[in-house]
Amino acid sequence: MEPISSAKLDPAQFVNQAAPGRDCGACTLCCKVYEVPSLNKPMNKWCSHCTPGRGCGIHATRPDHCRSFFCLWMTDGRLGPEWKPEVAKFVLTIDPVSRYLLVQVDPGQPKTWRQEPYYSQLRRFAQALLPHEQLVIVFNGKSGTVVTASRDIELGIMGPDDRIQMQMRITPNGPVYDILRNNVAVG
């Protein structure tokens, strides 16, 4: 499996469209939590073109990076209203290469992902993704945490060249999945 770089996720690599009946409405959290290089917008700072709760001031001419982005709540109609980023205080995406489920947390609400109904569901997502060697990774800024069905594995600050992957090894008690950061086991 191709490991993932956690530092930057290029939404331009996504081929997305909104699920029927979904729209951003007043939600603008993606305009805060993600870096947008073409606008010199850093991670975890409001975009200068965004009015929080209202929308983008340059929507018609916004960069391709923004134009091609849809969060998972927008594309997956099975997620309930509690998963909309303005409610959950984090943005869910699927990495287009690794297919990992990524959770980018609002720095103003860094613990909401650990609250219910989110935490137990993230663990269930992790269990469902395990046979596919896919992970759930929560990012608070550049600090990452792998969520598994049974525990959380702190990764610390992730750099642009850091790679996270899962590796199965067979033990006398059955398969065990190790989390590797740059080919070194963590947690």
Side-chain angles (χ1 to χ4, degrees), residues 46-122:
W46 283 109
C47 177
S48 62
H49 302 287
C50 176
T51 301
R54 298 208 55 206
C56 178
I58 60 168
H59 191 265
T61 60
R62 68 194 186 279
D64 288 342
H65 191 89
C66 300
R67 189 174 301 279
S68 63
F69 180 79
F70 286 100
C71 71
L72 190 58
W73 183 84
M74 282 286 292
T75 61
D76 191 333
R78 296 172 297 178
L79 292 173
E82 70 277 11
W83 291 92
K84 190 171 185 178
E86 69 182 339
V87 176
K89 306 303 182 195
F90 54 78
V91 181
L92 295 176
T93 56
I94 300 289
D95 180 78
V97 176
S98 66
R99 307 301 297 161
Y100 291 174
L101 175 62
L102 305 180
V103 181
Q104 189 68 47
V105 176
D106 179 348
Q109 302 286 327
K111 296 181 181 179
T112 57
W113 69 275
R114 291 186 187 269
Q115 297 171 0
E116 293 305 331
Y118 310 114
Y119 190 57
S120 60
Q121 185 59 52
L122 290 172

Side-chain angles (χ1 to χ4, degrees), residues 12-186:
Q13 295 179 23
F14 285 84
V15 177
N16 284 330
Q17 67 181 55
R22 294 281 165 110
D23 64 51
C24 296
C27 184
T28 55
L29 191 57
C30 62
C31 300
K32 179 181 183 182
V33 299
Y34 292 115
E35 175 182 26
V36 182
S38 62
L39 295 175
N40 294 318
K41 185 223 155 303
M43 173 185 284
N44 290 334
K45 301 286 183 195
W46 283 109
C47 177
S48 62
H49 302 287
C50 176
T51 301
R54 298 208 55 206
C56 178
I58 60 168
H59 191 265
T61 60
R62 68 194 186 279
D64 288 342
H65 191 89
C66 300
R67 189 174 301 279
S68 63
F69 180 79
F70 286 100
C71 71
L72 190 58
W73 183 84
M74 282 286 292
T75 61
D76 191 333
R78 296 172 297 178
L79 292 173
E82 70 277 11
W83 291 92
K84 190 171 185 178
E86 69 182 339
V87 176
K89 306 303 182 195
F90 54 78
V91 181
L92 295 176
T93 56
I94 300 289
D95 180 78
V97 176
S98 66
R99 307 301 297 161
Y100 291 174
L101 175 62
L102 305 180
V103 181
Q104 189 68 47
V105 176
D106 179 348
Q109 302 286 327
K111 296 181 181 179
T112 57
W113 69 275
R114 291 186 187 269
Q115 297 171 0
E116 293 305 331
Y118 310 114
Y119 190 57
S120 60
Q121 185 59 52
L122 290 172
R123 286 181 166 234
R124 284 192 291 276
F125 289 155
Q127 183 66 38
L129 292 172
L130 186 64
H132 308 286
E133 296 185 17
Q134 296 165 340
L135 298 170
V136 174
I137 306 177
V138 176
F139 288 100
N140 188 352
K142 294 185 179 190
S143 182
T145 302
V146 173
V147 176
T148 72
S150 60
R151 64 189 179 115
D152 300 335
I153 302 167
E154 300 293 331
L155 300 171
I157 302 296
M158 302 293 295
D161 296 324
D162 283 330
R163 301 289 182 254
I164 303 301
Q165 64 191 97
M166 178 187 307
Q167 183 176 60
M168 183 181 72
R169 69 185 153 88
I170 303 300
T171 71
N173 296 325
V176 172
Y177 294 90
D178 295 319
I179 304 301
L180 306 176
R181 177 178 181 170
N182 301 324
N183 297 317
V184 176
V186 293

